[in-house]
Amino acid sequence: MKVDLYERFWLWVSGALIVAFLGAIGVAAALRSVHPPSHVETVDPTRVRTDTEFAEPRVVTRDDGSVLVIAVAELYQFRPGTIRVPAGVPVTFRITSPDVIHGFQIVNTNVNTMVAPGYVSQLTVTFARAGEYLVLCNEYCGLSHHLMQSRVVVEESP
């Protein structure tokens, strides 16, 4: 059986691409230390409700004017239920879960993270304009998953 020159060429190119892709994955896993998202900060999921940081979910305005949101995603709710923040300032979300994997997506923004028990997910965003944004859990977390939602109310800065 004779293979045409062009067919051999494309076989070698496709084989080289597969080797390159596998090599890139290997380098990322071995040298770049692929980790869960955020700062790879951990928290004991059995103690989230009594943890000094997460026991009382809240919104805190820092001295520099930025906002820190301490939140918990649990079956089938986000705490705090409504998050009020000013427009035009950096808002840092620190989120964890005491039970199962949840998602934290603020609709119509680029905020979207997975919230895994035992890990603290952290992200920072600046809302350019005032408005109300829907927060959804986009990871199936149980029978009432479809009811798990919250909102972020972005208010005009004073």
Side-chain angles (χ1 to χ4, degrees), residues 43-79:
V43 62
D44 184 355
T46 62
R47 296 191 177 157
V48 166
R49 291 178 182 92
T50 59
D51 185 76
T52 55
E53 181 178 11
F54 293 102
E56 300 268 345
R58 62 201 174 281
V59 178
V60 178
T61 302
R62 297 175 173 161
D63 293 337
D64 63 358
S66 66
V67 175
L68 174 65
V69 177
I70 306 295
V72 175
E74 59 187 336
L75 296 175
Y76 297 101
Q77 66 178 335
F78 291 105
R79 293 186 301 129

